[in-house]
């Protein structure tokens, strides 16, 4: 049994300890906002927060998450920065297919937590690990600036 | 009370009890399956199965047309035949109906159709066709439904129809001010005849069309709530991961699944077939209780393949064979004037050869599908797909079952780009379900997705061009050397192939003597349409070679093109607009250069001016000005997003390494060695839309792609003097 704390709820899961956190979240905790894109920490679609830091859950064994606070996109609205990011995303109509966007939003939220007023260079550094095949990057950048405005208002 | 009425009531009661309101989300509905309570994630408004069934059961009473369903409560449902793959049709297409129906879009439920014949043959997403081919038809559907509702209300009130109008889901009797909601007259309206030619609104009265209207899928996609194919779970399903022959054309000899079956969670191993554009293969699937176990089981499989000589295929020698094939005369694609004579006689002649790579679609949501084969001959499918219509058509024939036996749930697609036009991944899952008697969820790994194709083919282009003594173009030839997409080995070489010569003979440039050619050359890997299809490679070659002609003529590339556009055309208007918005005629800083390109093809028309600057040994893209001509625009905000996205995809295909083959196998496997553009590489793209009306409506999703690479390479020439004739190239190392 693996005990996980996801979005402030406790789950006891009968899964292999080497199962990536991604599959435990999707297949067992039953939260599907976190996506599978590459499985090798290259695309960022699976980004969640572990104790507040962005982590690629496809390359993070579930056993390593025991005793830590995991936040997924579904748990983001409980937090002021997460709300601001989601609001900015909707306001600027960022998503196209939308598949990468949970990961983008998780990375953007982590960035804004550390840097409430990120520069373009900060955005590049924090968001480079999140691929978007639809090419929504221009709007992602604008939405992060917009979220910063909302947070700092 | 008849049994069907009981069912209806039961279902309606169910909807009430479950708090379904017709819009918004219904989360975590508990259903009973095998005596166990399961959370069925599929019961959200986007694809609520119960709701679909309710609507089907009530269809007679409430259906105004197959696309508009109004319940007595006033709940309005619009059936959307176009799969949403990121191109915005979840908003644009229902808007066409909602506008004429006089309902706000955020007040309606949008459901996807599942390939049923009654929804027509437009049930696909491809060719940038969703809006341009249904702009009038969908509006007529909305207008017809509105007219029926007005007629029913007028009848009820005993007043002339002409005294009534509709607004905000209500009918209003002008003289008395009486109003009635759509729900109250829906049943009466549904019994009226559907008017054939309902009057359409004057565009100046539009409330939704032409406006920056928010897309209803965006809040779902900004909060993790949107349901993609990969997110669906159905009771009793098992997961599958499939090992396929790494060499295209190889055969399965045998497999040993002893170790695989020992992996905890693995429940079985089965073979399954894949058919993709002329390529047939047999793979070995590991089925398991969870996906991770399926992957572990697959690693433990021991499979013996017979490569059958196909392991000798590699990209370098294939490229060489294309260069050799370029010497063949080829089939005529288009001929005007007397090219051979004009070329022979001209004082200035140019020849050039252009090469492009194979690229992958690489949608971030890998191929996946749930299929359930049950009750002997019934099929239920949950899929991210671009082609519910094709799946229905193909499967009724292949499995010889009537349409009623097949249910297709179309989910949001995490990217399509042409890849999801091909239901090979659906057929695999269906065969497995048939074999194991359970719903099967098959998920491709990223490695499967990258290695197994289908791919956009490479095309090579051989050019000849000639100028007269004044530098005017007098002769032009574009010869395309390429395979065809269908995998036909025995293609008739005396015939051109309009898909593979897409657009090269249809540009508006007036050149008196032209002879375009096609040389077929077979490529032994699965090939497919890619966003903007063959225009993505041909436009690069074509518009760069025209630039070479402009240079040889010592003319400004914009002036050179404009001189070939003397007659009025959308292309001419587009070029004028590009010149204006990019301030083409103002000087740039030292070390900068700008380039221009346009492309017109079946999907539409767009062009770019791109500005670059020298940066070390490479270049930096300073700015891209895009102009897209649509005739009529439905949502300018979506158009902007689509063009920016197309620019990113085009840039990736121009400067990232692409797909290569060695020993009969795909060399690349994942995003680490098959990279796509990241945020730090995204140039600013400023989008301008031409929407001057007129009968022709052009596409949105694809036209922003083809002219990007040539405008970029022409800009690089202007800045550095280096002519790029081969994609991909290293943007950080030009000189
Ligand atoms: S799925 Fe984890 S980074 Fe791509
Ligand atoms: S929105 Fe489609 S991959 Fe990012």
């Amino acid at each position: 049994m693996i005990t996980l704390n996801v979005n402030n709820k406790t789950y006891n899961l009968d899964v292999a300890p080497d199962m990536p956190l991604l599959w435990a979240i999707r297949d067992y905790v039953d939260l599907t906002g976190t996506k599978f894109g590459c499985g090798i920490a290259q695309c960022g679609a699976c980004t969640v927060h572990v104790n507040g830091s962005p982590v690629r859950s496809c390359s993070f064994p579930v056993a390593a998450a025991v005793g830590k606070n995991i936040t997924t996109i579904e748990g983001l609205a409980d937090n002021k920065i997460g709300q601001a990011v989601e609001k900015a995303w909707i306001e600027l109509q960022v998503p196209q297919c939308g598949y990468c966007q949970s990961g983008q939003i998780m990375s953007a939220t982590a960035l804004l937590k550390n840097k409430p007023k990120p520069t373009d260079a900060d955005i590049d550094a924090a968001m480079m690990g999140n691929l978007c095949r639809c090419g929504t990057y221009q709007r992602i950048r604008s939405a992060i600036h917009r979220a910063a405005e909302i947070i700092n208002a | 009370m008849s049994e069907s009425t009981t069912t209806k009531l039961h279902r309606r009661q169910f909807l009430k009890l479950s708090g379904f309101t017709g819009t918004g989300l219904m989360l975590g509905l508990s259903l009973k399956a095998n005596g166990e309570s399961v959370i069925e994630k599929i019961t959200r408004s986007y694809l609520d199965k119960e709701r679909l069934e309710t609507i089907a059961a009530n269809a007679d009473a409430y259906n105004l047309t197959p696309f508009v369903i109004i319940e007595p409560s006033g709940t309005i449902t619009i059936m959307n035949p176009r799969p949403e793959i990121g191109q915005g049709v979840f908003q644009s297409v229902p808007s066409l109906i909602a506008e004429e129906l006089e309902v706000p879009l955020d007040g309606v439920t949008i459901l996807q159709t599942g390939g049923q014949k009654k929804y027509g043959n437009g049930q696909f997403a491809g060719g940038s066709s969703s809006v341009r081919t249904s702009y009038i038809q969908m509006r007529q559907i909305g207008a017809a439904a509105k007219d029926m509702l007005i007629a029913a209300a007028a009848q009820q009130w005993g007043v002339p129809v002409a005294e009534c109008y509709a607004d905000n889901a209500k009918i209003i009797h002008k003289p008395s001010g009486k109003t009635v909601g759509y729900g109250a007259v829906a049943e009466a309206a549904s019994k009226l005849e559907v008017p054939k030619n309902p009057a359409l609104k004057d565009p100046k009265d539009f409330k939704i069309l032409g406006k920056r209207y928010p897309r209803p899928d965006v809040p779902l996609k900004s909060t993790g709530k949107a349901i993609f194919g990969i997110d669906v779970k159905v009771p009793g399903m098992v997961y599958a991961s499939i090992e396929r022959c790494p060499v295209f054309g190889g055969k399965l000899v045998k497999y040993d699944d002893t170790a695989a079956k020992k992996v905890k969670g693995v429940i079985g191993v089965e073979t399954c077939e894949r058919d993709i554009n002329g390529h047939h293969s047999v793979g070995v699937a590991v089925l398991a209780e969870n996906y991770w176990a399926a992957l572990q089981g697959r690693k433990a499989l021991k499979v013996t393949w017979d490569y059958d000589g196909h392991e000798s295929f590699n990209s370098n020698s294939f490229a060489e064979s294309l260069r050799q094939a370029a010497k063949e005369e080829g089939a005529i694609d288009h001929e005007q004037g007397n090219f051979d004579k004009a070329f022979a006689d001209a004082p200035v002649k140019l020849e050039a050869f252009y090469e492009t790579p194979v690229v992958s679609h690489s949608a971030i949501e890998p191929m996946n599908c749930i299929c359930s084969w049950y009750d002997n001959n019934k099929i239920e499918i949950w899929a991210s797909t671009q082609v519910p219509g094709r799946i229905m058509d193909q499967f009724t024939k292949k499995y010889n079952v009537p349409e009623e036996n097949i249910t297709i749930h179309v989910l949001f697609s995490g990217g399509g780009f042409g890849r999801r036009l091909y239901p090979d991944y659906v057929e695999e899952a269906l065969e497995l379900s048939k074999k194991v008697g359970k719903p099967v969820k098959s998920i491709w790994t990223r490695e499967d997705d990258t290695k197994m194709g289908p791919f956009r083919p490479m095309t090579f282009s051989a050019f000849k061009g000639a100028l007269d003594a004044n530098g005017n173009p007098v002769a032009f030839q574009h010869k395309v050397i390429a395979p065809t997409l269908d995998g036909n080995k025995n293609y008739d070489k005396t015939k051109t192939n309009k898909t593979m010569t897409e657009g090269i003979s249809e540009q508006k440039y007036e050149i008196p003597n032209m002879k375009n050619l096609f040389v077929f050359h077979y490529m032994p890997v699965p090939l497919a349409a890619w966003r903007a299809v063959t225009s993505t490679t041909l436009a690069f070659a074509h518009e760069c070679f025209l630039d070479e002609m402009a240079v040889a003529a010592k003319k400004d590339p914009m002036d050179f093109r404009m001189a070939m556009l003397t007659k009025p055309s959308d292309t001419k208007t587009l070029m004028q607009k590009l010149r204006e918005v990019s301030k083409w005629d103002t000087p740039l800083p030292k070390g900068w250069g700008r380039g221009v390109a346009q492309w017109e093809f079946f999907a539409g028309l767009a062009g770019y001016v791109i500005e670059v600057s020298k940066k070390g040994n490479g270049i930096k893209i300073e700015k891209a000005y895009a102009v897209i001509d649509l005739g009529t625009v439905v949502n300018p905000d979506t158009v902007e997003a689509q063009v920016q996205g197309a620019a990113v995809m085009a840039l990736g295909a121009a400067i990232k390494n692409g797909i290569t083959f060695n020993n009969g196998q795909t060399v690349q496997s994942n995003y680490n060695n098959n990279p796509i553009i990241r945020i730090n590489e995204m140039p600013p793209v400023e989008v301008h839309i031409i929407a001057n009306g007129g009968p022709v409506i052009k596409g949105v999703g694809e036209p922003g792609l083809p002219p990007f690479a040539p405008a970029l390479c022409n800009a690089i020439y202007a800045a550095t003097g280096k002519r790029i004739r081969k994609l991909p190239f290293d943007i950080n190392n030009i000189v």
Side-chain angles (χ1 to χ4, degrees):
Chain A
M1 270 301 166
I2 297 266
T3 303
L4 281 191
N5 182 310
V6 184
N7 302 332
N8 295 321
K9 271 169 81 176
T10 305
Y11 297 85
N12 292 313
L13 311 175
D14 180 18
V15 298
D18 66 340
M19 177 185 281
L21 178 59
L22 169 67
W23 298 113
I25 290 172
R26 286 183 56 85
D27 292 352
Y28 286 85
V29 178
D30 242 345
L31 294 173
T32 55
T34 307
K35 302 302 192 211
F36 166 56
C38 69
I40 59 161
Q42 282 289 317
C43 76
C46 64
T47 307
V48 299
H49 294 175
V50 175
N51 285 348
S53 299
V55 156
R56 309 294 182 226
S57 65
C58 70
S59 306
F60 195 88
V62 64
V66 173
K68 304 200 167 121
N69 292 322
I70 300 155
T71 309
T72 70
I73 182 87
E74 289 89 348
L76 210 60
D78 297 343
N79 139 339
K80 197 175 149 245
I81 297 173
Q83 279 167 8
V85 172
E86 291 182 348
K87 188 160 180 270
W89 243 247
I90 295 168
E91 204 177 296
L92 274 80
Q93 298 276 294
V94 173
Q96 290 185 27
C97 85
Y99 193 77
C100 71
Q101 298 295 342
S102 297
Q104 306 281 3
I105 288 169
M106 295 309 287
S107 293
T109 304
L111 164 66
L112 286 161
K113 222 183 276 171
N114 295 330
K115 293 203 166 134
K117 285 184 185 163
T119 62
D120 278 341
D122 294 333
I123 293 174
D124 280 349
M127 303 302 293
M128 255 175 77
N130 288 83
L131 294 177
C132 176
R133 187 55 161 161
C134 297
T136 61
Y137 299 126
Q138 201 159 322
R139 288 192 180 184
I140 288 173
R141 186 182 300 284
S142 309
I144 292 174
H145 288 309
R146 175 70 189 120
E149 255 174 52
I150 296 171
I151 293 162
N152 299 314
Chain B
M1 200 183 268
S2 75
E3 202 188 311
S4 76
T5 324
T6 318
T7 319
K8 259 191 228 173
L9 276 179
H10 169 75
R11 286 209 169 99
R12 201 168 305 144
Q13 199 127 31
F14 163 80
L15 287 178
K16 226 196 228 156
L17 289 174
S18 61
F20 193 83
T21 55
T23 54
L25 296 168
M26 179 168 66
L27 298 171
L29 173 74
S30 285
L31 293 179
K32 296 271 180 201
N34 305 328
E36 268 176 339
S37 180
V38 294
I39 303 295
E40 255 206 2
K41 294 283 199 47
I42 56 171
T43 48
R44 297 188 185 178
S45 66
Y46 181 56
L47 68 157
D48 178 4
K49 195 180 156 196
E50 282 290 337
R51 186 161 173 75
L52 280 174
E53 284 174 3
T54 308
I55 286 163
N58 290 339
D60 294 339
Y62 312 111
N63 240 345
L64 298 203
T65 81
F67 291 92
V68 177
I69 298 138
I70 301 177
E71 292 168 44
S73 63
T75 299
I76 298 169
T77 301
I78 291 179
M79 300 304 294
N80 180 23
R82 301 292 184 161
E84 171 62 55
I85 58 173
Q87 82 286 43
V89 294
F90 197 62
Q91 188 269 335
S92 58
V93 172
S95 288
L96 300 171
I97 293 180
E99 179 70 64
E100 297 288 345
L101 187 58
E102 294 294 354
V103 294
L105 194 60
D106 46 16
V108 304
T109 302
I110 301 163
L111 292 176
Q112 296 296 122
T113 68
Q116 305 93 322
K117 281 211 180 60
K118 67 176 171 182
Y119 294 116
N121 45 24
Q123 296 177 72
F124 69 97
S128 306
S129 67
S130 297
V131 166
R132 69 186 169 93
T133 61
S134 60
Y135 184 73
I136 298 295
Q137 183 202 16
M138 286 292 155
R139 285 174 57 204
Q140 280 173 338
I141 287 167
K146 180 193 71 185
D147 286 356
M148 291 156 79
L149 291 159
I150 292 177
Q155 221 165 49
Q156 195 176 304
W157 289 329
V159 302
V161 164
E163 290 181 358
C164 303
Y165 67 99
D167 186 37
N168 200 15
K170 285 192 292 286
I171 301 114
I172 298 130
H173 180 231
K174 225 181 303 175
S176 67
K178 264 190 298 204
T179 69
V180 62
Y182 281 2
V185 291
E187 187 167 358
S190 71
K191 293 182 177 133
L192 301 174
E193 205 162 308
V194 182
K196 292 247 153 30
N197 281 310
L200 299 180
K201 283 169 80 169
D202 186 327
K204 74 171 175 15
D205 300 325
F206 283 167
K207 296 174 186 134
I208 307 171
L209 303 184
K211 312 269 188 284
R212 289 179 178 270
Y213 203 93
R215 281 172 284 135
D217 48 331
V218 163
L220 301 176
K221 290 172 174 177
S222 303
T223 51
K225 289 172 186 154
I227 301 294
F228 297 83
I230 202 168
D231 300 330
V232 177
K233 279 186 184 173
V234 302
M237 73 177 195
V238 296
Y239 293 80
S241 182
I242 306 167
E243 182 76 12
R244 302 172 190 82
C245 185
V247 170
F248 297 108
K251 290 185 183 65
L252 174 65
V253 178
K254 58 175 192 217
Y255 63 90
D256 175 356
D257 58 12
T258 326
K261 281 183 168 161
K262 284 194 186 125
V263 172
K264 185 166 178 258
V266 169
I267 57 171
V269 176
E270 300 285 348
T271 60
C272 74
E273 298 180 24
R274 176 182 184 220
D275 280 294
I276 176 81
N277 294 345
H279 290 259
H280 175 87
S281 57
V282 180
V284 183
V286 175
L287 297 127
E289 283 164 9
N290 64 71
Y291 187 55
W292 181 244
L295 289 177
Q296 300 314 108
R298 181 175 163 192
K299 270 190 212 146
L301 272 181
K302 288 192 189 72
V303 187
T304 311
W305 308 103
D306 175 5
Y307 296 156
D308 206 15
H310 297 282
E311 66 273 29
S312 61
F313 179 71
N314 71 71
S315 292
N316 285 343
S317 47
F318 182 73
E320 192 45 41
S321 72
L322 283 182
R323 289 179 205 116
Q324 291 304 317
K327 292 176 186 149
E328 295 170 28
E329 173 59 22
I332 293 180
D333 184 68
H334 172 77
E335 195 169 19
Q336 67 194 38
N338 186 337
F339 170 82
D340 293 323
K341 180 167 185 324
F343 186 75
D345 294 350
V348 183
K349 300 189 222 305
L350 283 82
E351 291 191 43
F353 197 73
Y354 281 76
E355 303 188 359
T356 64
V358 171
V359 295
S360 60
H361 299 84
S362 295
I364 313 271
E365 181 191 12
M367 296 309 108
N368 68 83
C369 182
I370 298 182
C371 283
S372 177
W373 182 287
Y374 63 103
D375 286 359
N376 253 330
N377 63 354
K378 296 207 176 70
I379 295 168
E380 191 160 0
I381 296 165
W382 293 260
S384 306
T385 173
Q386 294 179 242
V387 288
R390 178 184 292 181
I391 292 176
M392 179 64 85
D393 188 52
Q394 218 166 287
F395 285 19
T396 47
K397 288 181 188 130
K398 179 171 174 183
Y399 303 104
N400 192 27
V401 293
E403 186 185 297
E404 308 77 75
N405 285 18
I406 303 183
T407 311
I408 303 167
H409 307 274
V410 177
L411 289 303
F412 286 126
S413 280
F417 316 118
R419 172 61 183 95
R420 289 187 159 95
L421 291 171
Y422 309 94
D424 54 322
Y425 57 96
V426 181
E427 288 178 288
E428 285 178 337
L430 185 57
E431 184 187 345
L432 291 172
S433 173
K434 201 176 169 185
K435 282 183 169 160
V436 301
K438 290 179 175 39
V440 171
K441 179 176 190 172
S442 158
I443 306 174
W444 292 38
T445 62
R446 174 58 49 197
E447 287 77 9
D448 295 337
D449 193 87
T450 308
K451 286 187 169 296
M452 290 297 129
F455 309 99
R456 181 199 75 176
M458 60 220 286
T459 65
F460 284 12
S461 294
F463 289 96
K464 287 181 181 170
L467 304 166
D468 68 14
N470 300 319
N472 300 313
V474 290
F476 180 88
Q477 178 168 88
H478 186 166
K479 180 195 279 188
V480 178
I481 306 101
T484 55
L485 297 184
D486 57 9
N488 180 2
K489 244 183 226 171
N490 306 310
Y491 186 82
D492 178 355
K493 292 191 101 178
T494 64
K495 296 210 162 61
T496 188
N497 183 295
K498 279 290 174 190
T499 297
M500 300 316 295
T501 61
E502 193 177 281
I504 65 167
S505 300
E506 283 76 37
Q507 301 308 308
K508 292 293 186 301
Y509 300 127
E510 298 143 18
I511 304 174
N513 304 288
M514 194 189 296
K515 183 158 93 176
N516 291 332
L517 303 160
F518 174 62
V519 176
F520 167 75
H521 196 76
Y522 178 70
M523 188 173 196
V525 300
L527 301 174
W530 193 79
R531 186 180 189 177
V533 202
T534 322
S535 288
T536 62
T537 54
L538 300 181
F540 154 70
H542 201 97
E543 281 282 308
C544 285
F545 183 69
L546 278 175
D547 228 61
E548 294 197 54
M549 290 176 72
V551 171
K554 301 194 176 54
K555 291 193 177 157
D556 171 87
M558 182 73 85
D559 291 339
F560 182 76
R561 286 174 173 81
M562 291 307 288
M564 294 188 283
L565 294 165
T566 64
K567 296 178 202 145
S569 67
D570 291 348
T571 304
K572 184 175 184 171
T573 310
L574 181 103
M575 295 297 281
Q576 281 163 339
K577 180 91 176 174
L578 269 174
R579 175 168 223 146
E580 172 201 320
V581 300
S582 70
K583 302 194 177 66
W584 178 269
D585 297 300
T586 60
L588 287 173
K590 202 173 164 299
W592 287 41
R594 53 161 80 91
V596 62
Q598 64 79 35
W599 195 251
E600 183 166 23
F601 66 122
F602 75 89
L605 168 65
Y608 286 89
V609 167
I610 294 179
E611 294 174 359
V612 304
S613 65
K614 281 200 243 181
K615 189 183 153 211
N617 289 337
I619 64 110
K620 175 171 183 245
I621 304 174
E622 298 286 350
K623 178 102 188 203
Y625 298 89
V627 178
I628 182 164
D629 178 33
L630 300 173
T632 293
V633 60
V634 167
N635 188 338
D637 191 68
T638 300
V639 175
E640 259 173 31
Q642 284 301 299
V643 174
Q644 287 170 349
V648 177
M649 201 154 176
L651 177 61
I655 68 170
K656 299 297 179 184
N657 58 349
I659 294 290
T660 54
F661 305 97
N662 202 12
N663 301 322
Q665 313 184 15
T666 310
V667 173
Q668 292 71 26
S669 55
N670 204 318
Y671 294 120
N672 57 334
N673 49 24
N674 181 34
I676 63 176
I677 298 295
R678 294 179 183 270
I679 192 168
N680 56 313
E681 300 168 295
M682 167 87 196
V685 180
E686 182 181 307
V687 181
H688 297 264
I689 299 166
I690 301 178
N692 292 339
V696 179
I697 302 175
K698 302 193 186 90
V700 171
E702 293 168 291
L705 210 153
F708 186 90
L712 172 61
C713 293
N714 292 340
I716 291 171
Y717 179 82
T720 67
K722 168 106 178 170
R723 178 61 66 187
I724 292 165
R725 296 194 186 87
K726 184 176 176 178
L727 299 182
F729 64 95
D730 183 353
I731 198 163
N732 298 314
N733 195 10
I734 302 283
V735 281

